[in-house]
Amino acid sequence: MTTLARLLPIVVAATFVVVVCCFTTVHAGADPYLDKYLASVRQNKHGLEDIRKLFADRGLDLNNVVENMGNNQEFAKLLLEKLSSVRDMGTIREGENGDQFYVFDNEVPDRPETLVLASCLTDLIRLLVDVSLNVEYASRMWVSRGKLDESAFYTLLFKDPGNRWLCQSVKENKTSQNPPFSGKYCYSAAFNIPAGLGTCVPDTCTEEDVNILAWLLMILIGIEPFYYVDCTEPTPWNTADIGFTAGLAFFALIVLCGSLYDIFLQQLVLGKMRGYAVADDVVKRSSQNAVENDYENVRDDTVEDDQGSDVATTSIDSAMDATDDVQEEMEGAKVNGGYDFRVEKEVKDGVTKEPPAHKKNVEVEIDDSGSSLQRAKRSNNLGWAVLHALLMSFSAVNNCKKLLSAKKTKNTMAVLNGLRVVSMFWVILGHSCSFYIGRLMNPLESLILTDVIGFNAITNATLSVDTFFVLSGFLVTYLTLKQIDSVRKRSTAQWAGFWSLFYFHRWWRLTPVYMAAMGIYALLMPHFGQGWNTEVIYEYIKSICRQQWWTHPLYINNLYPWPNVLDDSCMGWSWYLANDMQFYIISPLILIVLYKNGKAGLALVASIMFVSLSSLFGLNWHYGYTISSQEPYTDNVPDPENADTTYSKPYTRIPPYLAGMVVGYVMFKLKGKRIKMPPLMVISGWLAALTTLWFTLYGIWFSYQRMDVPQATAVMYLTFCRLAWGVGVGWIIFACLQDYGGPIGAILSWQIWIPLARLTYCAYLIHPVILFSRVYSDAVLFHTSYITISYLFVANVVLSYASALVLSLLVEGPTMGLEKVMFGKFKRS
Ligand SMILES: *[C@@H]1O[C@H](CO)[C@@H](O)[C@H](O)[C@H]1NC(C)=O
């Protein structure tokens, strides 16, 4: 096995060579296009011409638009004139409830009847008249709209949300009819062009009214309709929102009960359960358990169980432990390490205990909790024990203590915590920036500002997710193989039990909190606040989640609906969870072969890798994807055009996972032995790994500005970058676990990562809600600078982890409590 381990540096070195070759092809030779491109960006030729053309295609001369927007009274008079002629295009009709409507002859497509509330049109006309008369309320509404001036040509900023507050500060006075109506804030957004303006209309108009009028106006002026209006209206609390909130409140109530129990009643129940004499001891014991996060200990416990003569009775327990453990560590791969298990352990102390058939098992576990008195008492007090364990697993106080404990044990895998947390921070950093695209106050400046090599850490941030894949592959392999190894002699039925729990536990641990996050995202987020042009986004999220929510608990959201469009997915960022689950589902096939025959297993891994890389290569080649700003190499476009072909598909994303599996297998085979490596080998290994990581992340920058990157190079990079990244990360894991980590190992194993690592899964689920809450409630545009990005990032990290803690206490605690009840039942049957 050591030979295989020794091969690792060679693999790393080979990857390094490939990456460097790739890089040199990109970088070789003079770079005639770079300067030209940058110069043209600076002279804002690109974007501006595109935008001019887009406007022109819609029959608009941009210069005219800007001029008109700047000219207050003139523009108001023009609108007034046009609106008056719109009024003359319709006839008035009485609605059922006494409302009057204008019914127009010009029908808006997709609307059975083109009608507008008469009060809306009358009030709009009155507003424009009052604007030209300089009436105070009307002026306030008028100037609160978004404006363009000729600076747009030089900044590429064709958006202005205007002043939402000023618009909404106009409140109807029913007594004096001055103002005669309140201001309603809307945003007119152009289709397909990054352009749009805030608009303030009378609140007697519905969004649909404004849209129809805008449409009719454009027809009247003689241009093809090119924008829609999105109005900010109070989000109503509908049944689903209320139901979901009630569900959360119910969980909160459970957690509250658990916490109150923990604080006030625990001693009493423990006394009943175990006799007053040992109560203190038990309490102490369970808080010790709380801080034990050492999966090695878990292993030992399991092995101990196994050594008991009555192996059969412990099978389910062991399997459960294994899955919990794998589970927990795996989830730790992005998800919540450590936490679950310790809760589970407490149940072991409390619940598992009474059925006579399992006495052996009970005894092992009671020995584990170390008191013979407990053993005597326990069998009489199952009811109390169940209650105790349940309530304690709900208790926020108890769970908080466990989650936030940073106590380092002899956990040899501490390095993984660092990798998890750093990668999660990185995901948040990437999203902090990417979620603001389209809402920037300085688009051209941002383009130039971020056109530096260091910014690749953000533009190329999707590599962070590949680190999670490596961790997942590593943990599932290492822990499951260890588990299989320790429980060899089992019947088929027991193996079936083992594998069904392998799946069930993972699903159960991941899914409820995932669904809770989805509810918060789709149902509650619209109530957090509204900015400009967000209503339409909230509506979209709701409708897409209504259609597709069920694909998420089945973990097929990256495949269905096919062909998948990431932007049209309910929780776009959760494609990772689907992939990870899909890899997990197939992992036993590989693991069993690996366990039975190492060579065959590695050959299997290699063939899957080959198939995956070939498909990735083929897709990249077929669609002609580029790594620079040039045109695609081929004319083949996915159908629909924005369909995802390679980013979220399991067959293209598995390479780093497989790399992690190989490292896991090597670590398993070493069985805790340390390979002696000469310092030179260690140093070259690190150098090769770090250089590989660096080039994968930053090397691509040199190609961005070029227009002549050969397709072969682009496809090489696109095919191998994630694998190369995975190999580099694999080396970090391997070297750190082998104690060759040096300063990097020390940093990654830092205690401060321990509590944060446990919150990784929840942070992954909830951080987009935090980010979007700000993006979608901002009434203004975002100004990009290094300082604003830094502040945004730090705030997002802190708020995301704080929310992750709440989510974990609120949903994960009760979920685990329920799981205990379920498996308590299993044992009794
Ligand atoms: C409405 O207008 C009347 C008369 O100008 C004024 O006295 C009253 O304070 C106003 N009401 C509100 C709510 O502003």
Side-chain angles (χ1 to χ4, degrees):
M1 201 54 235
T2 42
T3 22
L4 184 55
R6 276 171 201 287
L7 274 178
L8 272 185
I10 300 174
V11 174
V12 176
T15 319
F16 163 72
V17 170
V18 171
V19 170
V20 170
C21 292
C22 206
F23 163 76
T24 31
T25 8
V26 172
H27 199 47
D31 205 350
Y33 291 91
L34 176 63
D35 290 338
K36 238 195 240 170
Y37 175 82
L38 268 184
S40 80
V41 165
R42 294 212 175 89
Q43 292 164 10
N44 63 60
K45 287 242 171 66
H46 272 287
L48 183 58
E49 283 317 311
D50 292 347
I51 288 170
R52 263 185 210 283
K53 193 168 168 307
L54 278 165
F55 274 97
D57 288 349
R58 287 166 177 77
L60 279 177
D61 180 352
L62 209 49
N63 288 315
N64 266 345
V65 173
V66 169
E67 218 161 83
N68 282 333
M69 290 308 297
N71 195 333
N72 272 357
Q73 303 300 324
E74 289 304 304
F75 188 42
K77 280 187 192 130
L78 179 79
L79 273 180
L80 181 60
E81 183 190 310
K82 297 293 175 200
L83 269 180
S84 305
S85 42
V86 165
R87 182 185 52 192
D88 301 337
M89 284 156 55
T91 48
I92 289 209
R93 198 172 76 187
E94 193 96 354
E96 279 160 24
N97 52 358
D99 285 338
Q100 291 190 320
F101 295 96
Y102 278 97
V103 187
F104 296 99
D105 311 329
N106 277 321
E107 282 214 346
V108 176
D110 303 331
R111 288 173 220 259
E113 271 192 312
T114 300
L115 41 81
V116 166
L117 274 171
S119 53
C120 167
L121 189 52
T122 319
D123 285 347
L124 261 175
I125 290 174
R126 168 151 191 199
L127 172 68
L128 291 169
V129 171
D130 284 350
V131 168
S132 44
L133 295 176
N134 279 324
V135 181
E136 194 252 346
Y137 88 89
S139 299
R140 295 208 304 181
M141 283 177 71
W142 182 249
V143 296
S144 70
R145 81 198 191 286
K147 291 156 215 100
L148 285 181
D149 61 36
E150 62 274 18
S151 72
F153 297 127
Y154 307 103
T155 59
L156 295 191
L157 174 62
F158 291 93
K159 287 177 184 172
D160 179 8
N163 193 327
R164 187 184 64 179
W165 172 82
L166 185 56
C167 172
Q168 291 174 341
S169 73
V170 174
K171 297 274 184 248
E172 176 184 2
N173 186 331
K174 287 210 164 75
T175 349
S176 65
Q177 280 299 300
N178 179 29
F181 39 73
S182 304
K184 179 187 222 164
Y185 178 77
C186 301
Y187 184 82
S188 312
F191 301 121
N192 307 325
I193 321 177
L197 294 169
T199 314
C200 191
V201 299
D203 71 340
T204 36
C205 295
T206 66
E207 185 179 280
E208 190 163 15
D209 291 338
V210 184
N211 268 304
I212 292 174
L213 289 175
W215 191 86
L216 290 171
L217 270 178
M218 283 183 275
I219 291 190
L220 209 66
I221 297 170
I223 51 177
E224 181 200 338
F226 72 104
Y227 72 88
Y228 65 94
V229 184
D230 180 26
C231 291
T232 303
E233 279 160 336
T235 315
W237 282 86
N238 60 32
T239 329
D241 305 1
I242 295 169
F244 178 74
T245 315
L248 280 189
F250 175 70
F251 275 84
L253 190 70
I254 292 179
V255 171
L256 184 70
C257 291
S259 312
L260 291 177
Y261 166 83
D262 189 357
I263 301 167
F264 298 112
L265 290 171
Q266 191 194 172
Q267 296 287 335
L268 200 77
V269 175
L270 279 177
K272 278 212 189 296
M273 194 171 126
R274 284 160 185 179
Y276 290 100
V278 291
D280 284 348
D281 174 46
V282 172
V283 176
K284 216 161 86 203
R285 168 79 200 168
S286 72
S287 60
Q288 268 169 12
N289 282 343
V291 291
E292 271 167 33
N293 179 24
D294 182 354
Y295 85 97
E296 288 294 345
N297 278 357
V298 187
R299 288 293 116 200
D300 293 343
D301 289 352
T302 318
V303 174
E304 251 170 55
D305 275 1
D306 256 354
Q307 286 159 350
S309 53
D310 190 359
V311 176
T313 53
T314 59
S315 76
I316 300 294
D317 282 328
S318 300
M320 203 160 97
D321 277 349
T323 39
D324 284 348
D325 201 357
V326 167
Q327 170 70 29
E328 149 203 328
E329 285 295 340
M330 298 224 13
E331 290 160 312
K334 73 251 161 157
V335 183
N336 155 27
Y339 169 46
D340 311 353
F341 159 65
R342 283 168 296 103
V343 177
E344 192 63 46
K345 186 148 181 165
E346 201 168 87
V347 184
K348 260 204 240 156
D349 288 354
V351 183
T352 351
K353 309 354 182 170
E354 110 296 25
H358 300 288
K359 221 166 223 152
K360 180 72 191 169
N361 176 20
V362 173
E363 277 183 11
V364 171
E365 283 173 346
I366 290 171
D367 285 346
D368 176 59
S369 46
S371 157
S372 54
L373 189 53
Q374 287 172 34
R375 193 188 319 166
K377 288 269 172 191
R378 194 172 277 167
S379 57
N380 301 323
N381 293 303
L382 179 80
W384 284 112
V386 172
L387 187 69
H388 169 74
L390 256 181
L391 286 172
M392 284 304 279
S393 67
F394 297 159
S395 161
V397 182
N398 186 36
N399 289 338
C400 222
K401 218 184 299 168
K402 293 172 185 175
L403 275 168
L404 298 183
S405 155
K407 195 158 175 184
K408 209 171 191 170
T409 56
K410 49 185 171 166
N411 188 349
T412 44
M413 312 263 272
V415 56
L416 304 186
N417 293 326
L419 284 174
R420 277 169 203 152
V421 176
V422 170
S423 304
M424 193 58 232
F425 282 10
W426 192 10
V427 169
I428 296 178
L429 175 66
H431 283 164
S432 294
C433 295
S434 64
F435 286 9
Y436 263 109
I437 290 176
R439 290 173 174 259
L440 298 178
M441 179 186 272
N442 51 346
L444 181 62
E445 188 192 356
S446 306
L447 208 67
I448 294 168
L449 198 69
T450 55
D451 188 22
V452 291
I453 190 164
F455 210 78
N456 253 42
I458 289 168
T459 35
N460 221 357
T462 61
L463 286 173
S464 56
V465 176
D466 293 291
T467 307
F468 285 133
F469 282 134
V470 179
L471 286 170
S472 272
F474 170 76
L475 285 164
V476 77
T477 311
Y478 181 65
L479 295 173
T480 313
L481 287 180
K482 262 185 118 173
Q483 179 62 22
I484 297 177
D485 203 37
S486 66
V487 294
R488 241 160 303 180
K489 289 165 277 167
R490 292 295 162 82
S491 71
T492 321
Q494 283 159 341
W495 276 119
F498 176 95
W499 290 114
S500 17
L501 286 169
F502 177 84
Y503 290 126
F504 176 76
H505 276 261
R506 184 178 166 81
W507 186 87
W508 180 255
R509 296 284 166 99
L510 294 183
T511 311
V513 67
Y514 185 9
M515 293 301 101
M518 181 190 288
I520 295 171
Y521 173 66
L523 300 175
L524 298 190
M525 196 172 71
H527 299 283
F528 293 170
Q530 290 182 323
W532 51 277
N533 201 16
T534 52
E535 188 79 347
V536 63
I537 297 173
Y538 289 142
E539 284 305 313
Y540 186 67
I541 293 173
K542 272 193 183 172
S543 74
I544 214 88
C545 286
R546 204 176 297 126
Q547 290 162 22
Q548 295 181 15
W549 65 271
W550 57 273
T551 60
H552 291 257
L554 296 178
Y555 296 91
I556 54 168
N557 48 298
N558 60 335
L559 300 172
Y560 184 90
W562 182 275
N564 179 280
V565 178
L566 270 185
D567 292 338
D568 298 349
S569 171
C570 170
M571 294 166 88
W573 67 101
S574 68
W575 65 267
Y576 165 77
L577 299 178
N579 274 303
D580 197 43
M581 183 61 96
Q582 286 154 13
F583 300 157
Y584 187 83
I585 288 172
I586 61 156
S587 69
L589 295 177
I590 303 170
L591 292 177
I592 292 168
V593 180
L594 259 184
Y595 185 76
K596 294 226 156 114
N597 181 339
K599 277 187 192 132
L602 289 174
L604 180 62
V605 169
S607 15
I608 299 176
M609 179 87 82
F610 179 77
V611 171
S612 165
L613 290 175
S614 314
S615 76
L616 186 53
F617 185 93
L619 289 166
N620 281 324
W621 188 274
H622 177 73
Y623 291 115
Y625 293 134
T626 68
I627 53 170
S628 66
S629 39
Q630 70 203 79
E631 294 283 298
Y633 297 103
T634 67
D635 297 334
N636 304 324
V637 225
D639 178 32
E641 216 171 294
N642 51 351
D644 169 60
T645 54
T646 55
Y647 185 68
S648 72
K649 297 292 180 272
Y651 44 86
T652 54
R653 293 306 286 256
I654 204 171
Y657 192 86
L658 295 173
M661 289 189 93
V662 172
V663 179
Y665 180 64
V666 171
M667 289 309 293
F668 164 71
K669 277 297 186 184
L670 288 174
K671 298 206 188 297
K673 279 200 301 279
R674 184 168 189 249
I675 310 173
K676 286 224 163 49
M677 284 195 274
L680 193 66
M681 194 165 158
V682 176
I683 291 173
S684 16
W686 270 106
L687 272 181
L690 291 181
T691 328
T692 303
L693 293 172
W694 192 90
F695 277 116
T696 313
L697 181 59
Y698 292 108
I700 193 181
W701 182 77
F702 297 97
S703 74
Y704 279 163
Q705 292 84 0
R706 296 171 57 97
M707 310 301 238
D708 64 341
V709 177
Q711 187 177 10
T713 310
V715 172
M716 279 285 279
Y717 179 82
L718 290 171
T719 306
F720 291 104
C721 67
R722 297 186 188 281
L723 176 60
W725 184 263
V727 173
V729 173
W731 165 266
I732 295 182
I733 297 175
F734 172 77
C736 291
L737 291 183
Q738 283 280 306
D739 230 356
Y740 292 111
I744 296 179
I747 292 170
L748 290 176
S749 313
W750 197 12
Q751 267 164 282
I752 199 166
W753 307 129
I754 297 174
L756 295 178
R758 291 192 196 111
L759 293 172
T760 311
Y761 180 49
C762 286
Y764 184 80
L765 287 176
I766 207 72
H767 81 274
V769 178
I770 301 296
L771 271 61
F772 280 133
S773 300
R774 181 182 158 172
V775 175
Y776 292 160
S777 62
D778 261 358
V780 292
L781 295 156
F782 181 76
H783 183 264
T784 314
S785 74
Y786 289 123
I787 301 279
T788 52
I789 292 177
S790 312
Y791 270 75
L792 191 64
F793 167 58
V794 173
N796 282 339
V797 164
V798 173
L799 291 174
S800 297
Y801 275 83
S803 325
L805 177 63
V806 175
L807 188 65
S808 177
L809 294 176
L810 202 61
V811 185
E812 286 195 314
T815 313
M816 271 147 223
L818 288 176
E819 186 179 34
K820 280 165 213 163
V821 176
M822 268 190 277
F823 284 93
K825 275 180 189 151
F826 272 15
K827 270 169 211 144
R828 258 167 278 153
S829 60

